[in-house]
Amino acid sequence: MSQSLSYVIPFTPTSAPDASRFAHVLAARGAEVILAGDGPLDAPSRPNVHVLSGLSGKGAAIRAALDRVTGDITVLQDADAAYSLEACEALCRPIREDAADAVFGSRRVPKVNAEQLADRAMGHVTRFVTDVSLEDPLCGQRAFRTEALKSVSLTSDDDSVDAEIVVKLAAQLYRMAEVPVTMDATPRRPLASQLARLRTLVRYATVRDDADNQHEGYTTLERMDGANNYNAWLGQRFSEHLGRRVLEIGAGIGTITEKLEPGLELLVALEVDRFYVDRLKNKFRGKPHVRPYLSDVALADWESLKAERLDTIVLSNVLEHIPDDASAVRRFRQILPAGGKVVVLVPALPQLFGAIDEAVGHHRRYTQEGLRQVLEGNGFEVELLEWMNLVGIPGWFMNSRVMRRRSVPKLQLKVYDRIAPLLAKAESQVKLPVGMSLFAVARATGGAG
């Protein structure tokens, strides 16, 4: 099926002549053209050309234009004569072939000057902050699957929107590609524009997450996603007890899902928050054995899930989020065959319950006896029940109880992650007397209740 194309061209009084010239060329080709900005325009009078005037700032112009876009693919085109519109077909090709959700031009300029060096420096900063591998992530000629671009919430009003787009698409795990674009000159980029981009990148690297700190629990999940060693430790613990057809309850942004899925026949990733489900779909695009499933535990279609012949249910720091944990465990028993397993990690020690627990929606922290009762009282026999993470107790107590912080400080988490492999090795050899988490494996007994 042919995919329709829309061009968004933000403009200023200085760039309005180039924007007008681009609009005339594109309108003649039949594409939808949306000009947004401020300045005198000579725009063609055609049904496929829309002018949104009186908008100050590139970010404000792009936001307004996206509300009017109807095409399946959106090209964001800077109004600068250095760019050639002939490159746009190559930009759109990976999207048409479903190989990418966003495609950036990689500029090839005839000579390197101070502006180009500044752009390259900003590219290095962008790659550091976002972990993307793009050579030229802030190029002014880009194509997007429109649905993907509209899914991110843009807040910047000025040129820093270029950096914000990369940050948010990367965080949502959209597929990014790059194609070379040849230029006759170096695009103009004022110093104020570069500084705006730099400030935005620093802000997202330090004090703001890609949801602009509006989704409180996500801040902690996003930071935990970067704790690679700790997550590998948890993934290994879970994987030792998995069958072949797994239901993960509360998959979040897929941090543990990613560790579980290799080698599985089926992994259903149940998550109640659409904000996270959208990220799961992007993260596991192209992996049909991983199925994100939007539902609350209480409202899930348990009969359909039972028909999936599941043999293992995994909950990684999730059971504590469920108001009626006993009822949930009875549901798990109903869909598992006798001998099927539930593998659980929960926060331990009610004495540690504090501000971070409240921020991420915990109803409780467990004792050993409390976790055993909720499992064995609802159709399971506990085979393994162990403490985990003794070393994390002081940090959690200080941050959550004493200092009343609402999320785990990023620097502390990075330091902790460095020692996680040592903790994993030590805890595998020593039976802990206590810990800030409990790990349990329980097997379904008798017939379904």
Side-chain angles (χ1 to χ4, degrees), residues 177-196:
E178 198 165 33
V179 299
V181 293
T182 301
M183 314 190 72
D184 296 329
T186 301
R188 300 182 298 272
R189 183 67 61 188
L191 178 61
S193 172
Q194 298 288 22
L195 292 176

Side-chain angles (χ1 to χ4, degrees), residues 9-23 35-42 55 58 61 77-81 159 188 190:
I9 307 176
F11 67 93
T12 64
T14 302
S15 65
D18 287 331
S20 299
R21 183 174 61 84
F22 283 166
L35 298 150
D38 189 32
L41 278 177
D42 174 24
L55 296 164
K58 188 175 185 179
Q77 175 66 61
D78 278 5
D80 191 314
D159 283 13
R188 300 182 298 272

Side-chain angles (χ1 to χ4, degrees), residues 351-370:
Q351 301 92 325
L352 293 180
F353 195 97
I356 300 177
D357 295 279
E358 294 168 359
V360 297
H362 290 176
H363 290 280
R364 67 193 74 82
R365 299 181 72 91
Y366 287 86
T367 63
Q368 273 191 319
E369 185 57 31

